[in-house]
């Protein structure tokens, strides 16, 4: 592995660990699980020689760190036992909360009609065929 690639792999490894420490701050179980998973994944591919695959793994690490920073929030049950305190970081992506307009004109798709099935009556059914009896 080239020195520049090795440096980028180490940088991605460290960035992923730093992100987990920030995102899972105070949650020892999540920190331990994320540390184990990161180490396991990097050890699993430590002997990789294909530059394309190595780049893919570096990109996976960068994408994972970004996803963790943007989407993970921590919630902790307060002492009153009925509400949660949510820790949102400056990196957390918050969606716009659009209020529902009860006067909105929502188009309704017409329903499909059921297929017509032939009507079954005693006159067009042979009872012996239905029961499997041979004549």
């Amino acid at each position: 592995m080239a020195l520049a690639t090795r440096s980028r792999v180490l940088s991605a490894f460290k960035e992923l660990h730093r992100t987990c420490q920030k995102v899972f701050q105070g949650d020892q179980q999540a920190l331990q699980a994320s540390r184990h998973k990161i180490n396991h994944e990097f050890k699993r591919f430590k002997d990789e020689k294909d530059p394309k695959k190595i780049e893919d793994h570096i990109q996976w690490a960068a994408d994972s760190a970004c996803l963790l920073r943007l989407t993970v929030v921590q919630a902790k049950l307060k002492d009153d036992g009925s509400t949660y305190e949510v820790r949102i970081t400056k990196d957390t992506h918050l969606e716009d909360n659009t209020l529902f307009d009860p006067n909105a004109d929502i188009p309704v798709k017409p329903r499909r009609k059921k297929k017509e099935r032939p009507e079954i009556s005693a006159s067009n059914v042979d009872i012996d065929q239905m029961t499997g009896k041979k004549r």
Side-chain angles (χ1 to χ4, degrees):
M1 185 182 315
L3 187 58
T5 305
R6 186 176 178 86
S7 174
R8 291 184 60 229
V9 169
L10 185 58
S11 176
F13 178 79
K14 286 181 177 182
E15 178 61 28
L16 200 48
H17 273 292
R18 279 190 215 108
T19 300
C20 286
Q21 286 177 344
K22 185 178 180 181
V23 169
F24 300 124
Q25 181 180 3
D27 186 350
Q28 293 304 315
Q29 186 177 0
L31 282 169
Q32 186 177 8
S34 64
R35 188 177 306 121
H36 175 74
K37 181 66 174 173
I38 293 167
N39 292 341
H40 173 74
E41 290 299 318
F42 273 83
K43 284 178 186 175
R44 194 172 78 159
F45 297 109
K46 76 176 184 176
D47 296 325
E48 185 64 58
K49 302 289 185 218
D50 184 12
K52 174 69 175 133
K53 287 185 179 179
I54 293 171
E55 286 300 319
D56 289 345
H57 294 305
I58 292 171
Q59 187 61 46
W60 168 84
D63 291 346
S64 298
C66 181
L67 186 68
L68 285 169
R69 275 192 313 273
L70 294 177
T71 60
V72 175
V73 295
Q74 288 180 307
K76 187 175 182 181
L77 188 61
K78 285 188 169 184
D79 292 336
D80 64 6
S82 63
T83 58
Y84 285 88
E85 181 179 338
V86 179
R87 189 175 75 83
I88 298 175
T89 64
K90 64 179 179 65
D91 296 325
T92 304
H93 178 72
L94 301 173
E95 294 288 331
D96 291 335
N97 191 6
T98 306
L99 297 175
F100 178 72
D101 181 9
N103 299 322
D105 185 24
I106 302 173
V108 178
K109 291 183 180 180
R111 290 185 168 198
R112 293 187 304 170
K113 294 182 179 179
K114 290 184 178 181
K115 292 181 181 179
E116 290 187 29
R117 296 184 182 190
E119 190 174 312
I120 298 175
S121 65
S123 62
N124 63 0
V125 175
D126 185 6
I127 301 297
D128 290 334
Q129 285 180 337
M130 288 178 64
T131 59
K133 293 181 182 177
K134 293 185 179 179
R135 289 184 182 186

